[in-house]
Amino acid sequence: MEVYRSYRQNHTENHYKKLLAIGVVIMKKQDTILDKLIILWTSGDKQVALNMAFMYAFNAKSRGWWKDICLIVWGPSAKLLSEDLELQDYIQKMKKEGVEIEACITCANNYDVSSCLEKLGINVKLMGMPLTDYLKSGYRVITL
């Protein structure tokens, strides 16, 4: 099957339908796994959060550098987030911009902060299998 790698906007809808009818696969960059980023935030250092993890996640989403961004709160970062109002406010700012926020429930339970993270609107859940799926599916991952 032929792969048509760049669909130009000047193609008409009929042209697009004809290509589909003959079995040509149309791939747009924004529809590929290459446009999905996972930021695995594990550090208990506030400066790592503010000056890398949060800043990059927010700017990358708001400026369209990545279509989908998920920030995963894991380990010591869960405790830090539960105690720091500035970071909590930044989480809300990122959520409003469209950054998905998830947290490892086992880590959150270890620090006794699950309910705090849930109150922030964070999806607190078992994360071992989802992270494995992200990695095996070819998502881009930044670990901090």
Side-chain angles (χ1 to χ4, degrees), residues 35-53:
D35 221 9
K36 298 177 188 287
L37 176 67
I38 303 298
I39 299 176
L40 181 59
W41 174 41
T42 63
S43 175
D45 183 335
K46 181 177 180 176
Q47 294 306 311
V48 171
L50 289 175
N51 293 308
M52 177 47 198

Side-chain angles (χ1 to χ4, degrees), residues 3-9 11 13 16 20 25-36 67:
V3 177
Y4 187 85
R5 295 183 194 267
S6 63
Y7 177 76
R8 295 183 180 94
Q9 289 183 348
H11 288 155
E13 187 66 24
Y16 177 75
L20 289 177
V25 176
I26 308 272
M27 296 177 68
K28 297 187 217 175
K29 181 181 181 283
Q30 65 267 22
D31 293 337
T32 67
I33 201 74
L34 300 177
D35 221 9
K36 298 177 188 287
K67 181 180 180 212

Side-chain angles (χ1 to χ4, degrees), residues 44 59 65 67 78 141:
N59 286 323
W65 301 339
K67 181 180 180 212
V141 179

Side-chain angles (χ1 to χ4, degrees), residues 55-66 69 97-99:
M55 182 181 358
Y56 185 77
F58 179 79
N59 286 323
K61 185 64 178 170
S62 65
R63 296 176 183 181
W65 301 339
W66 295 91
I69 299 175
E97 194 60 43
V99 176

Side-chain angles (χ1 to χ4, degrees), residues 90-144:
Y90 211 136
I91 287 287
Q92 298 310 315
K93 177 180 165 182
M94 286 189 288
K95 286 179 60 184
K96 286 179 186 168
E97 194 60 43
V99 176
E100 183 179 346
I101 314 288
E102 298 178 343
C104 172
I105 194 166
T106 303
C107 299
N109 286 340
N110 287 342
Y111 291 106
D112 196 28
V113 298
S114 294
S115 61
C116 177
L117 299 181
E118 288 171 346
K119 287 177 187 172
L120 294 171
I122 296 173
N123 185 7
V124 182
K125 62 184 185 177
L126 293 171
M127 286 302 304
M129 197 66 215
L131 178 60
T132 300
D133 290 342
Y134 293 144
L135 293 168
K136 287 184 173 183
S137 298
Y139 281 65
R140 305 299 195 234
V141 179
I142 297 174
T143 304
L144 306 161

